[in-house]
Amino acid sequence: METEPLPNAADSERVRVLAQSLDCIPEPDLCLLADITPSTAENWRKRGKGPAYILMGNRYLYPRQAVAEYLQRNVRERHASSGPGVL
């Protein structure tokens, strides 16, 4: 059984640079940004949650525009409360 080598820091940086040149965010960066684990990102994909993604080989890339749109859809507005007993 053939196993794939683990990515090293140089490979991870190359992937990041290549993804940026395609206006995408690699999955590890999305996980860092969202403070989620890779398994959470996988669950989002399976459930149709989270930003749109591209599967390229065994790697998930997230177009920056899709991430921005996802964030915009999840903006929570603050509403000023007024009335008695509200601080």
Side-chain angles (χ1 to χ4, degrees):
M1 180 181 216
E2 188 176 323
T3 60
E4 292 185 28
L6 294 174
N8 61 34
D11 287 344
S12 294
E13 184 56 28
R14 286 182 66 201
V15 167
R16 184 170 286 110
V17 169
L18 289 168
Q20 287 176 348
S21 73
L22 297 169
D23 206 24
C24 291
I25 298 171
E27 183 179 58
D29 289 356
L30 178 79
C31 291
L32 180 65
L33 177 67
D35 193 24
I36 60 172
T37 63
S39 62
T40 298
E42 180 181 8
N43 286 332
W44 282 4
R45 290 190 301 272
K46 286 179 180 178
R47 291 182 171 89
K49 294 179 69 175
Y53 62 91
I54 299 165
L55 174 59
M56 185 168 210
N58 292 325
R59 190 177 315 280
Y60 291 96
L61 301 174
Y62 295 83
R64 288 181 186 276
Q65 184 62 38
V67 173
E69 289 169 1
Y70 174 77
L71 292 173
Q72 189 60 42
R73 286 191 309 267
N74 287 284
V75 170
R76 296 183 182 177
E77 298 291 330
R78 290 186 165 229
H79 299 285
S81 297
S82 59
V86 177
L87 297 176

